[in-house]
Amino acid sequence: MTAPMTASPSPVMIPANARTDPAFPDNAIVIEGLTKVYGGKKTALKDINLTIPRGRFFGLLGPNGAGKSTLINILAGLVKKTSGRVSIWDNDIDLEERNARCAIGVVPQELNLDPFFSPREALEVQAGMYGVPKGERRTMEILDAVGLADKADAYARTLSGGMRRRLLVAKAMVHTPPILVLDEPTAGVDIELRKQLWDYVRSLNTMGTTVVLTTHYLEEAQELCDEIAIINEGALVACEPTTTLLHRLDSKSLSIQVTEHLDSLPPALAALGAEIRDSHHLYLSYKPSHTQIDRILAAVRGAGLTINDLTTEETDLEDIFLQLTSKNRAGSISP
Ligand code: ADP
Ligand code: MG
């Protein structure tokens, strides 16, 4: 849940049509030297520097325990940072707390909803908390957008996990924030409803809302985000456009079992980077964007070998983490 506002709220409402106005800040979120140490001993974030430009669909990726929720909860005002500076929509979270809070809508990782509030009531209460005047509330419009219009008056406790998640998205949008942050939003949401959720979030982004999404699913980030940051053990290990990151991911491995006994590596296969794993197995990693699997198989056959079986493997996020963290330790994260 979004943290309750302290003094009586009189938020700066940002008109929806002005989100793309060049008068608005170039950067939605600027984080400098952000560190969080829980209880004086558990370091969850280490000197994070991160800039999220306005209008992006930004992905924050990392394995469980990386520090994603800690970072999001600092933005939401739910967790107090240990040191560093954070500015949201040009508002320092320490100096202009209320304006910073009003510029952001956060969908938390936990599905914490008051079980006795209907979606309509939950949105009305949230709008009240942000000081949205009754005449300007868009309760039914938002419920409709997240596919909950027919559940407007149902108790939240009767809603499925997917519906609750969508209600949380709706709650985060009542004050029309120019920045929407979603912390692992697809946990417990089935494929059909996930698509509906993404369609809605995508449409918000198309209209100018900056979206920040945390996930540990690379594919999800890959499909939606135009820029991805990776954090691991509280440290930022990469931040780059999705296409650049995918280029690094452009790697598959292939294991080929052949009938013949392999004594030496045929030159055509050596040229492709193949290795002999054992007397009947060849192994090679290749870049699908450069090398067609056909060419590899043709080279195997061209060397007079008979393919018995083969398996391919994509590089997964795990590999990228390993790659990035080991390179990071060596002091470089460039490809
Ligand atoms: P993620 O969202 O990437 O899974 P979190 O931000 O939830 O990661 O957690 C980062 C690290 O901080 C983890 O090691 C977690 O155990 C620890 N942590 C999170 N919240 C607290 C807390 N309230 N007190 C102590 N440690 C915490
Ligand atoms: Mg988390």
Side-chain angles (χ1 to χ4, degrees):
M1 199 172 76
T2 311
M5 314 257 288
T6 39
S8 70
S10 55
V12 180
M13 289 299 294
I14 293 158
N17 64 355
R19 288 178 193 166
T20 47
D21 191 317
F24 282 99
D26 288 340
N27 294 317
I29 296 171
V30 179
I31 296 172
E32 290 166 336
L34 181 63
T35 292
K36 173 65 190 177
V37 184
Y38 283 109
K41 45 181 193 289
K42 171 72 207 174
T43 302
L45 295 173
K46 294 173 208 162
D47 192 23
I48 299 279
N49 293 292
L50 186 63
T51 296
I52 302 178
R54 174 164 59 99
R56 285 294 147 85
F57 202 128
F58 192 94
L60 183 63
L61 260 123
N64 279 329
K68 304 181 295 296
S69 293
T70 299
L71 194 150
I72 298 310
N73 290 338
I74 290 171
L75 296 177
L78 297 168
V79 166
K80 227 174 138 42
K81 63 185 165 56
T82 304
S83 58
R85 253 178 46 86
V86 176
S87 121
I88 301 173
W89 210 250
D90 269 358
N91 302 293
D92 186 290
I93 61 165
D94 298 324
L95 306 174
E96 296 141 300
E97 189 186 355
R98 187 177 312 156
N99 285 347
R101 204 76 72 72
C102 286
I104 198 167
V106 179
V107 183
Q109 184 169 1
E110 282 81 34
L111 290 168
N112 52 352
L113 284 165
D114 188 321
F116 300 105
F117 277 176
S118 68
R120 188 199 302 276
E121 289 163 341
L123 260 56
E124 287 291 324
V125 168
Q126 183 84 357
M129 215 156 77
Y130 277 93
V132 182
K134 280 221 153 56
E136 289 172 26
R137 294 187 189 169
R138 302 175 301 128
T139 302
M140 280 316 294
E141 180 195 322
I142 298 171
L143 286 177
D144 195 38
V146 298
L148 286 176
D150 59 339
K151 296 282 179 188
D153 298 308
Y155 280 134
R157 67 183 151 87
T158 66
L159 304 177
S160 69
M163 290 175 184
R164 288 177 195 203
R165 182 71 63 187
R166 284 179 288 141
L167 178 54
L168 287 173
V169 175
K171 273 180 74 179
M173 291 308 296
V174 295
H175 58 299
T176 325
I179 306 168
L180 177 65
V181 179
L182 302 122
D183 194 0
E184 308 251 4
T186 45
V189 180
D190 69 44
I191 296 203
E192 190 51 36
L193 296 174
R194 194 182 295 188
K195 195 181 162 305
Q196 197 177 346
L197 180 64
W198 288 142
D199 285 347
Y200 178 58
V201 174
R202 259 206 192 107
S203 73
L204 289 172
N205 178 247
T206 306
M207 290 186 295
T209 306
T210 304
V211 178
V212 180
L213 159 77
T214 85
T215 180
H216 59 272
Y217 299 116
L218 179 68
E219 271 179 30
E220 195 162 87
Q222 199 169 304
E223 197 187 314
L224 293 161
C225 303
D226 38 40
E227 188 165 346
I228 293 177
I230 296 180
I231 57 171
N232 188 41
E233 295 178 0
L236 192 74
V237 292
C239 179
E240 47 198 80
T242 309
T243 44
T244 315
L245 190 73
L246 288 179
H247 188 70
R248 290 199 207 189
L249 281 169
D250 182 26
S251 169
K252 278 190 172 188
S253 61
L254 183 61
S255 171
I256 304 170
Q257 189 190 46
V258 296
T259 312
E260 294 77 10
H261 194 277
L262 294 161
D263 298 317
S264 62
L265 195 61
L269 292 173
L272 289 171
E275 299 163 19
I276 295 177
R277 274 287 154 93
D278 63 48
S279 56
H280 291 280
H281 277 98
L282 286 165
Y283 175 87
L284 78 150
S285 70
Y286 66 102
K287 288 182 180 296
S289 69
H290 291 115
T291 311
Q292 299 275 317
I293 193 162
D294 270 0
R295 217 183 110 206
I296 299 169
L297 299 182
V300 175
R301 290 197 200 92
L305 299 170
T306 317
I307 300 168
N308 256 349
D309 196 10
L310 62 87
T311 52
T312 64
E313 260 175 40
E314 308 250 356
T315 310
D316 59 17
L317 189 55
E318 198 78 25
D319 297 330
I320 295 297
F321 282 140
L322 287 174
Q323 196 183 325
L324 287 170
T325 49
S326 61
K327 279 189 180 163
N328 202 32
R329 274 196 285 274
S332 160
I333 57 162
S334 54

